[in-house]
Amino acid sequence: MTTISPAITPELRAWIVAQAESGFPPEEVLAAMRTSGWPEEVAIEALEVTLTEHLQAKGKPVPGRSLPEPSLEESTTRLMADGHEVRVLMAMALPRVVVFGGLLTEAECDQLVALSRQRLVRSETVVNETGGSEVNTARTSEGMFFTRGENPLCQRIEKRIGALLNWPVQNGEGLQVLRYRPGAEYKPHHDYFDPVHSGTPTILSRGGQRVGTLVIYLNTPEKGGGTTFPDVGLEVAPVKGNAVFFSYHSPHPSTKTLHGGAPVIEGEKWVATKWLREREFI
């Protein structure tokens, strides 16, 4: 029998804030939610997200959640990742965005495209109500997924990404390769899974929340195809071998990680996307 977890509603979030402001410690609020029938994993997620937002709104410090993050001490412009030199082209605090140069070599880009070309199908998006996926008009690309560590090239790239972002390889989803033909785009969206949706607990059971995204450009389109961040007016140019990384400390728009793939005007755009989870992805 399938158990459907209750949705994390605005009313629940307001109740959690009210309990916090009344002086009840989080463990007592969690116990009350469990008594009311909330699955523990969903209750913990609701508490974490709601109390984080509440502290941010009050201008108070938020206990740090571990996030993938490159080692950018002293404003370094070059990093070594598993023996491969990567350039730091841009870094932004809010949203947390870092643009890397030369993450993959031209040969690695070409090989990844060649391995994926015959497996492309119309891209799908997550169905929030069920945790499944479906074709959506907001996403007009073609794509495929490699399983993590599926071949030596994926293993090498995943190990490099783990070293670059200081994040365990096992906490990453498999690489997804996408092709955008002329006119194709991905309208602005968030990559985290919103706890308000009934299908989110099913998704989170495979490795927790997404906490970071890395988009690697496998070619340079003739025109268009940039990665946009509408909340801050940023657009990252799609240059072969380069990549854009962004992280999100909570599943909330306050992270300003709303992003999209601008329409390709001429040529094609090929990208590889790596999503990073809180825990081991299974």
Side-chain angles (χ1 to χ4, degrees), residues 6 12 15 26-44 47:
L12 175 63
W15 178 82
E27 54 269 24
E28 290 188 17
V29 180
L30 178 61
M33 293 178 70
R34 286 201 304 260
T35 300
S36 298
W38 283 84
E40 183 168 3
E41 183 174 308
V42 180
I44 291 172
L47 275 174

Side-chain angles (χ1 to χ4, degrees), residues 3 15 20 27 30 41 77 80 85-86 92 101 111 117 128 143 147 167 195 201 207 216 220 233 255 263 266 270:
T3 300
W15 178 82
E27 54 269 24
L30 178 61
E41 183 174 308
T77 60
M80 294 302 296
E85 185 178 88
V86 179
M92 188 178 219
Q111 187 179 357
R117 187 180 292 275
N128 294 317
T147 58
W167 203 246
I216 310 169
T220 303
T255 59
E266 291 184 17
W270 288 78

Side-chain angles (χ1 to χ4, degrees), residues 4-190:
I4 300 176
S5 299
I8 302 173
T9 62
E11 291 76 16
L12 175 63
R13 296 189 188 203
W15 178 82
I16 291 173
V17 169
Q19 302 310 299
E21 291 183 335
S22 297
F24 292 100
E27 54 269 24
E28 290 188 17
V29 180
L30 178 61
M33 293 178 70
R34 286 201 304 260
T35 300
S36 298
W38 283 84
E40 183 168 3
E41 183 174 308
V42 180
I44 291 172
E45 182 75 16
L47 275 174
E48 179 182 348
V49 171
T50 302
L51 294 179
T52 295
E53 294 171 3
H54 180 60
L55 288 171
Q56 289 173 329
K58 294 286 186 180
K60 297 180 180 179
V62 178
R65 166 189 267 182
S66 179
L67 292 174
E69 174 68 15
S71 301
L72 299 183
E73 297 83 1
E74 300 179 355
S75 299
T76 184
T77 60
R78 295 180 183 274
L79 296 171
M80 294 302 296
D82 193 38
H84 180 85
E85 185 178 88
V86 179
R87 301 186 306 280
V88 180
L89 304 181
M90 189 207 79
M92 188 178 219
L94 185 64
R96 185 45 167 163
V97 175
V98 183
V99 179
F100 297 111
L103 177 59
L104 299 189
T105 66
E106 290 212 4
E108 288 171 333
C109 290
D110 294 343
Q111 187 179 357
L112 201 56
V113 168
L115 288 172
S116 62
R117 187 180 292 275
Q118 299 304 317
R119 294 165 59 179
L120 297 176
V121 295
R122 175 69 186 272
S123 298
E124 298 183 341
T125 58
V126 171
V127 179
N128 294 317
E129 291 73 23
T130 65
S133 61
E134 66 180 9
V135 171
N136 189 306
T137 56
R139 193 179 198 188
T140 52
S141 60
E142 302 164 277
M144 57 78 64
F145 276 95
F146 290 103
T147 58
R148 191 174 60 237
E150 179 175 324
N151 54 55
L153 178 63
C154 286
Q155 292 171 16
R156 183 166 73 247
I157 293 172
E158 290 164 352
K159 187 177 179 184
R160 187 179 304 164
I161 291 170
L164 179 67
L165 300 178
N166 298 297
W167 203 246
V169 170
Q170 64 267 25
N171 289 20
E173 299 180 27
L175 286 165
Q176 182 190 43
V177 175
L178 298 170
R179 176 174 64 182
Y180 293 82
R181 298 177 186 269
E185 64 179 320
Y186 195 178
K187 294 185 184 298
H189 60 282
H190 293 98

Side-chain angles (χ1 to χ4, degrees), residues 67-70 96-100 103 139 161 164-165 167 171 173 176 178 186 189-193 209-217 227 229 243-249 257 259 271-277:
L67 292 174
E69 174 68 15
R96 185 45 167 163
V97 175
V98 183
V99 179
F100 297 111
L103 177 59
R139 193 179 198 188
I161 291 170
L164 179 67
L165 300 178
W167 203 246
N171 289 20
E173 299 180 27
Q176 182 190 43
L178 298 170
Y186 195 178
H189 60 282
H190 293 98
D191 281 352
Y192 56 70
F193 306 114
Q209 187 59 258
R210 282 178 177 167
V211 290
T213 300
L214 182 73
V215 178
I216 310 169
Y217 305 108
T227 303
F229 293 83
V244 57
F245 162 74
F246 51 99
S247 62
Y248 21 100
H249 56 75
T257 54
H259 65 286
V271 299
T273 302
K274 182 73 169 178
W275 285 294
L276 306 172
R277 297 285 193 111

